[in-house]
Amino acid sequence: MEKRIGLIGAMPEEIALFLEEMELETQEEIAGTTFFQGQWADATVVVCQSGVGKVNAAVCTQTMIRQFAVEAVLFTGVAGALDPSLDIGDIVISTACQQHDIDAGPLGYSPGVLPFQSVSVFKADPRWVRLAEAAAEKWTESQVITGKVLSGDQFIADPEQVRQLRETFDGACVEMEGAAVAHVCHLNGIPFVVIRSMSDRADHTADVNFTEFVAASARRSNAIVRAMLRQRGKDRE
């Protein structure tokens, strides 16, 4: 049986197009999250809305892996830009993910380092990164870069925080879920990639730009993921 691809977004708008376009076969609620399984873009997919934040993202990712045996997890949505070269609408494809709000300094650990664990920076799967990069460059006129995605349970809207995150972690963008997805995938040995469209610059304009650009970002991400899955199918033929 063909293994499934997991598609996750944090907000309803980020998975709405997947649900509209997929041929739904089953849906099941587990731990407060509904998982939609069906056919889309020449692939068997499982789609869910994780909810906002690292705990929600981790729970739904683990459920996807254990209950639906997904072979890879793709997380799409919006983020705030940290790289000064990025503008609204540009795309960041994760080379790695890290939690920026972990700080065990009193125990002798640097910010972002998980105590008593060997890995704190979780690397995305190179094959899926390449598929994402090729699809993004084909299906959007916006700038596409690869880089580190930072995650934390806070909405960043302060230029000083932006500067600190960029300097401390060399992050390309910041959001609230990707590193949790990456962490769970790492523990389970499952490939992942995070694809983020810049809805704001993670500064004082974030509350205005965020709501304005979510829908456009979702359409952009939908086109990219569709192209990725179809190319994956061709590569397997």
Side-chain angles (χ1 to χ4, degrees):
M1 183 178 69
E2 181 186 6
K3 286 194 174 182
R4 309 159 181 90
I5 304 297
L7 306 179
I8 306 176
M11 299 182 295
E13 297 88 346
E14 292 172 336
I15 67 165
L17 290 176
F18 297 137
L19 298 182
E20 288 177 14
E21 297 172 359
M22 71 185 288
E23 181 182 337
L24 182 64
E25 295 173 350
T26 64
Q27 67 182 70
E28 182 177 359
E29 184 173 329
I30 304 173
T33 299
T34 302
F35 295 83
F36 303 88
Q37 180 175 275
Q39 302 298 314
W40 182 73
D42 304 325
T44 301
V45 298
V46 181
V47 180
C48 77
Q49 177 201 339
S50 65
V52 173
K54 293 187 298 180
V55 172
N56 282 328
V59 169
C60 81
T61 303
Q62 184 64 40
T63 301
M64 268 194 170
I65 293 169
R66 290 294 298 273
Q67 298 295 120
F68 298 96
V70 295
E71 71 172 26
V73 175
L74 314 183
F75 195 104
T76 71
V78 297
L82 297 176
D83 187 321
S85 74
L86 291 169
D87 204 347
I88 293 171
D90 289 345
I91 303 292
V92 172
I93 297 164
S94 66
T95 53
C97 296
Q98 185 174 13
Q99 298 178 59
H100 68 76
D101 58 350
I102 293 289
D103 189 353
L107 299 179
Y109 293 91
S110 300
V113 174
L114 294 160
F116 317 118
Q117 289 195 202
S118 60
V119 178
S120 296
V121 178
F122 304 101
K123 294 183 179 179
D125 182 77
R127 173 172 168 263
W128 283 102
V129 171
R130 288 192 297 270
L131 284 171
E133 193 172 11
E137 289 176 348
K138 181 177 180 180
W139 289 98
T140 179
E141 297 180 356
S142 302
Q143 178 184 194
V144 179
I145 70 168
T146 58
K148 185 190 288 186
V149 174
L150 302 182
S151 306
D153 285 320
Q154 50 190 267
F155 190 93
I156 303 299
D158 181 351
E160 178 58 23
Q161 284 184 290
V162 170
R163 184 190 65 78
Q164 291 177 357
L165 291 174
R166 179 70 174 166
E167 291 182 358
T168 302
F169 301 104
D170 193 29
C173 67
V174 62
E175 35 87 302
M176 300 176 71
E177 297 85 25
V181 172
H183 192 164
V184 173
C185 286
H186 169 77
L187 293 175
N188 287 275
I190 298 295
F192 79 90
V193 68
V194 175
I195 304 162
R196 290 292 191 176
S197 181
M198 301 303 101
S199 61
D200 60 79
R201 302 180 194 217
D203 57 20
H204 289 305
T205 64
D207 60 341
V208 175
N209 294 331
F210 184 76
T211 55
E212 184 177 352
F213 285 92
V214 166
S217 298
R219 289 193 295 272
R220 192 177 298 111
S221 296
N222 178 272
I224 292 168
V225 174
R226 184 193 300 111
M228 290 172 63
L229 295 188
R230 287 183 172 160
Q231 184 60 50
R232 163 188 169 271
K234 292 177 182 178
D235 292 345
R236 290 161 63 110
E237 291 176 356

